[in-house]
Amino acid sequence: MIVLGFVAVLASVPCYLNYLVLGHDMPFEVNRITGIASGLQAGQFPVRIHADTFSGHGYAVSVFYPEILLYIPAVLYMFGMSLSASIHIYMILLNVLSAGIMYFAASRIFGSKKIGLYSAVIYTMALYRLVLTYLMHGYGSAAAMVFIPLVIYGFYEIVFGNAKRIRYLVIGMS
């Protein structure tokens, strides 16, 4: 567990800056977070229309992009935390979840905690995952990557294990 914590801390190095590194999806993703926060403040739950977009005309972002995990930085921002700090906490959480879920899935599939640990380190530090999180600012895509190992484990259980353990596939796909 110490190694997983160290890897999550190492993968979170860009979060220790007091600003966000500019990325190509950043304006859209930041708008989603602020839109959720303003919708919650206006009494919407779940937030379906982001009223601040398109010059106040609104946009139903959640119709096209799931936003359940983006409520975390939105609530932190709504309660007074800076936008960059709330996004950094969200990114750190994604790193911790990526390491933990990959460790869980790989150690179950291979029956070895050692292989689970190696898999978690490799997956958490994977260049594509880090670029997606920090440079592209694809917060939804980065959140989806957290659950890919759970989907793989869910398929593994259905094919080779206990088909009644479909819950892992359902959670991963959700």
Side-chain angles (χ1 to χ4, degrees), residues 102-113:
M102 180 49 118
Y103 174 77
F104 169 78
S107 63
R108 291 279 182 101
I109 290 171
F110 295 106
S112 167
K113 291 181 179 184

Side-chain angles (χ1 to χ4, degrees), residues 47-70:
V47 178
R48 293 292 176 224
I49 303 292
H50 295 205
D52 296 342
T53 54
F54 294 126
S55 301
H57 297 287
Y59 182 55
V61 180
S62 64
V63 172
F64 304 106
Y65 302 99
E67 299 181 325
I68 192 159
L69 291 179
L70 287 179

Side-chain angles (χ1 to χ4, degrees), residues 106-124:
S107 63
R108 291 279 182 101
I109 290 171
F110 295 106
S112 167
K113 291 181 179 184
K114 190 175 186 179
I115 292 175
L117 186 62
Y118 290 148
S119 300
V121 169
I122 292 168
Y123 189 71
T124 304

Side-chain angles (χ1 to χ4, degrees), residues 87-103:
I87 291 171
H88 284 152
I89 288 173
Y90 175 67
M91 290 175 176
I92 291 168
L93 178 66
L94 292 182
N95 289 330
V96 169
L97 288 174
S98 290
I101 290 175
M102 180 49 118
Y103 174 77

Side-chain angles (χ1 to χ4, degrees), residues 94-171:
L94 292 182
N95 289 330
V96 169
L97 288 174
S98 290
I101 290 175
M102 180 49 118
Y103 174 77
F104 169 78
S107 63
R108 291 279 182 101
I109 290 171
F110 295 106
S112 167
K113 291 181 179 184
K114 190 175 186 179
I115 292 175
L117 186 62
Y118 290 148
S119 300
V121 169
I122 292 168
Y123 189 71
T124 304
M125 298 303 291
L127 187 59
Y128 179 74
R129 199 187 74 73
L130 295 174
V131 165
L132 184 66
T133 304
Y134 297 116
L135 295 179
M136 293 175 58
H137 287 275
Y139 304 144
S141 300
M145 286 196 69
V146 167
F147 297 98
I148 289 174
L150 204 56
V151 171
I152 294 168
Y153 177 58
F155 279 122
Y156 172 82
E157 279 293 341
I158 290 170
V159 174
F160 299 109
N162 183 354
K164 293 182 180 180
R165 291 187 182 165
I166 195 169
R167 66 181 173 267
Y168 296 114
L169 180 61
V170 171
I171 292 168

